Amino acid sequence: MNIRIQKCIELIKANDLAGVVLNPGQSLTYLSGLHFHLMERPTILIITREGEMAVILPELEKGKLSGDAAKFQAFTYGDAPASWHTAFEQAASALMLETGRVGVEPEQLRFMELQYLHAAFPGVDFLDGSQVFSTLRLNKDEEEVAKMRRAAMIAQEALLATLRTLRLGITEKVVANELIIQLLRAGSDPNLPFEPIVAFGENSANPHAVPTDRALTPGDIVLIDWGASFDGYLSDITRTFTFGGVDEELMQIGEIVHRANQAGRDAGAEGLAAGVVDRAARAVIEEAGFGPYFFHRTGHGLGMSPHEEPYIYAENHQILTLGMTFTVEPGIYLPGRGGVRIEDDVVVTADGLQTLTDLPREVLPIEDFID
């Protein structure tokens, strides 16, 4: 039994559960090393507090159960939906899980799988298992951090290659598509953390802008939010640039956000509350008079998922512990004019927050990067 599954069983016991149920997603992969995708056929991994493990999956996926994965009891089914319930009933019989509380991932488990589980385990109470799953992947080990650092380097290499293609009149969509190509060329896994945000001019005032046919023109702020994936671990970075002469106030907010980013990264440390990071970054922006224009949290956890624990907002009293990884991404957004966000990925170490990303954070001219 691997260390990760042992940790999961400890969390199951600590939360007075009889077991947990997972369907395809990061937690299932984290525990089992298996990669499945959500589809019209159900796939389920069940782990009990006694350490019994069963996987229910389509016959066509059984070939993945080799090596270490062979330790799971496998219950397979064919293509006829009318027979799928049989695999669930066989798993229930083998596990002898007749009563108790079983945790599920509330943001992951679908109604389809839940129906089969209710039918096969009628005496079991399936409930929110967030206390297990939010803790399970919270603290990264050295290998995991190394993968996240590699994902950051891939992302940065891809951005520099993309910036060299920017020209007057190029559209946000074209830049976003080029960035995806460069991410794959640089070595990212095909499953990117999210679709890149590329926003020119006034569009950069929308933190979650979607690339459009808006063309690059002189005087534009250029905001790019992107990330890469390496062996299942992610990076998430934002940098902001200028194209041509930019309004003086936009340059001013760029300098303020730069200082806020630094303040947030300097403030975090083992043993402090996550909210300390948010308050430190936010204070810089508020003192400069732009508090109302910074209207989102300072960051979010990052790892195998693009958003996970810990969340970096002022009221969060969760204590930072070694190996937690998250973003620091303050921003100022002036409606109708433009916005600046500067985002880095960090890990909690004994010496404070170590930054995994190292591209320049100043708001620099695009022209500096064009050959």
Side-chain angles (χ1 to χ4, degrees):
M1 185 181 298
N2 69 40
I3 293 174
R4 292 177 175 181
I5 291 177
Q6 289 176 353
K7 180 181 178 181
C8 182
I9 292 171
E10 290 170 4
L11 289 168
I12 290 171
K13 292 177 179 178
N15 287 278
D16 193 27
L17 298 176
V20 292
V21 171
L22 306 93
N23 61 339
Q26 290 87 0
S27 293
L28 188 153
T29 298
Y30 178 83
L31 289 169
S32 69
L34 298 170
H35 295 268
F36 299 108
H37 63 278
L38 288 171
M39 56 178 172
E40 74 281 5
R41 304 176 180 94
T43 298
I44 287 291
L45 172 64
I46 304 171
I47 302 175
T48 73
R49 64 183 293 129
E50 288 79 24
E52 297 292 328
M53 295 175 286
V55 60
I56 302 166
L57 73 169
E59 181 70 34
L60 63 87
E61 297 271 36
K62 191 175 181 179
K64 293 181 178 179
L65 300 181
S66 59
D68 288 344
K71 61 181 174 289
F72 299 113
Q73 299 180 72
F75 301 92
T76 63
Y77 57 83
D79 283 336
S83 67
W84 294 355
H85 67 92
T86 303
F88 283 81
E89 292 163 0
Q90 291 171 341
S93 177
L95 293 172
M96 293 185 291
L97 189 59
E98 299 178 353
T99 60
R101 302 159 67 247
V102 171
V104 306
E105 285 190 281
E107 297 179 358
Q108 192 72 18
L109 192 74
R110 301 180 299 185
F111 182 70
M112 175 177 68
E113 287 90 347
L114 190 57
Q115 282 186 302
Y116 283 111
L117 289 167
H118 278 310
F121 299 85
V124 170
D125 182 17
F126 293 97
L127 46 78
D128 184 347
S130 294
Q131 287 301 103
V132 172
F133 297 112
S134 64
T135 305
L136 186 63
R137 307 195 322 262
L138 184 60
N139 301 93
K140 280 66 175 179
D141 60 27
E142 291 183 4
E143 182 180 357
E144 291 176 288
V145 172
K147 290 177 180 179
M148 293 183 67
R149 183 177 287 107
R150 179 61 186 144
M153 295 303 105
I154 290 170
Q156 294 183 163
E157 179 183 339
L159 181 72
L160 292 174
T162 301
L163 292 178
R164 290 193 284 270
T165 71
L166 268 65
R167 298 290 188 276
L168 179 68
I170 197 169
T171 69
E172 295 169 342
K173 282 183 179 178
V174 169
V175 175
N177 290 338
E178 179 65 25
L179 181 50
I180 291 171
I181 293 169
Q182 294 298 340
L183 284 164
L184 297 176
R185 284 179 175 168
S188 176
D189 297 344
N191 294 325
L192 299 178
F194 53 90
E195 295 182 4
I197 295 172
V198 177
F200 298 160
E202 69 284 351
N203 290 348
S204 62
N206 177 1
H208 283 173
V210 176
T212 70
D213 291 321
R214 199 320 190 147
L216 184 62
T217 59
D220 279 347
I221 281 281
V222 176
L223 187 151
I224 302 178
D225 186 340
W226 81 110
S229 174
F230 180 75
D231 200 15
Y233 287 82
L234 313 179
S235 59
D236 182 1
I237 313 170
T238 306
R239 290 294 185 266
T240 307
F241 306 91
T242 64
F243 183 70
V246 171
D247 179 272
E248 183 177 341
E249 189 174 28
L250 292 176
M251 293 303 298
Q252 178 190 4
I253 67 171
E255 190 274 331
I256 295 166
V257 173
H258 181 202
R259 287 193 286 114
N261 170 282
Q262 185 69 55
R265 290 185 294 114
D266 287 345
E270 179 189 10
L272 296 181
V276 167
V277 178
D278 180 279
R279 292 195 295 272
R282 196 170 301 278
V284 173
I285 294 174
E286 290 178 344
E287 288 169 9
F290 290 92
Y293 302 101
F294 177 25
F295 41 75
H296 59 72
R297 63 194 176 201
T298 292
H300 54 81
L302 183 70
M304 297 181 77
S305 299
H307 286 188
E308 58 185 44
E309 299 276 357
Y311 293 101
I312 310 303
Y313 59 95
E315 299 80 12
N316 190 359
H317 301 294
Q318 183 176 13
I319 298 301
L320 298 178
T321 55
L322 296 179
M324 285 185 176
T325 50
F326 55 89
T327 67
V328 177
E329 50 179 302
I332 296 175
Y333 311 92
L334 304 181
R337 297 176 61 194
V340 173
R341 182 167 64 256
I342 300 171
E343 176 183 17
D344 288 287
D345 305 338
V346 301
V347 57
V348 180
T349 73
D351 298 319
L353 300 186
Q354 181 183 103
T355 307
L356 305 180
T357 37
D358 61 7
L359 277 180
R361 297 175 182 88
E362 299 85 358
V363 177
L364 299 173
I366 287 288
E367 292 86 344
D368 289 357
F369 299 86
I370 297 175
D371 295 333

